[in-house]
């Protein structure tokens, strides 16, 4: 199991010791972009087209509620991607007209 897979497993297990950089790494790998608001805010906002934005405080450890939010988000993305691949298989690789 790769380091990244272990990190995903920690998120899925709602590990209490997750750091902001670890959550950031996962969300960026899932296609999210990172924005820090102006004005010295201690929160970061992750955005991805077609999905809800996620705002997480940068202090550590990350609270459980934010880990749950990230877990639910990556599970939704995984499910959406699975449906896309299944649709491609059913159409012989073509998803359009």
């Amino acid at each position: 199991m790769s380091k990244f897979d272990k990190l995903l497993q920690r998120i899925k297990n709602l590990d209490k010791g997750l750091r902001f950089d670890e959550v950031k790494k996962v969300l960026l790998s899932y296609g999210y972009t990172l924005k820090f608001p102006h004005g010295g805010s201690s929160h970061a906002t992750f955005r991805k087209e077609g999905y809800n934005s996620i705002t997480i405080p940068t202090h550590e450890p990350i609270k459980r509620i934010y880990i749950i939010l990230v877990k639910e988000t990556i599970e939704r993305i995984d499910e959406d991607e699975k449906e896309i691949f299944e649709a491609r298989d059913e159409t012989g690789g073509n998803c359009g007209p």
Side-chain angles (χ1 to χ4, degrees):
M1 185 182 282
S2 71
K3 287 182 181 181
F4 186 78
D5 290 334
K6 288 180 183 178
L7 180 55
L8 284 176
Q9 194 61 41
R10 288 179 61 205
I11 289 173
K12 290 177 182 179
N13 291 336
L14 305 176
D15 187 322
K16 294 179 183 177
L18 284 165
R19 298 185 328 262
F20 176 78
D21 284 342
E22 293 171 321
V23 172
K24 178 175 85 171
K25 180 178 182 177
V26 169
L27 289 174
L28 291 177
S29 75
Y30 272 80
Y32 274 81
T33 57
L34 173 61
K35 302 282 185 199
F36 285 98
H38 299 287
S41 175
S42 62
H43 289 65
T45 300
F46 295 89
R47 290 191 169 93
K48 179 176 178 162
E49 187 175 331
Y51 294 91
N52 292 335
S53 62
I54 302 171
T55 301
I56 300 175
T58 58
H59 59 273
E60 298 172 351
I62 303 295
K63 290 183 179 180
R64 181 180 172 93
I65 189 66
Y66 298 107
I67 298 170
I68 291 170
L69 182 62
V70 171
K71 176 184 181 243
E72 290 172 350
T73 299
I74 63 174
E75 287 174 346
R76 179 175 170 222
I77 293 170
D78 286 343
E79 186 62 34
D80 289 350
E81 289 179 357
K82 181 180 175 185
E83 290 175 11
I84 290 169
F85 287 120
E86 288 174 355
R88 285 183 186 162
D89 287 344
E90 291 173 3
T91 61
N94 297 322
C95 285

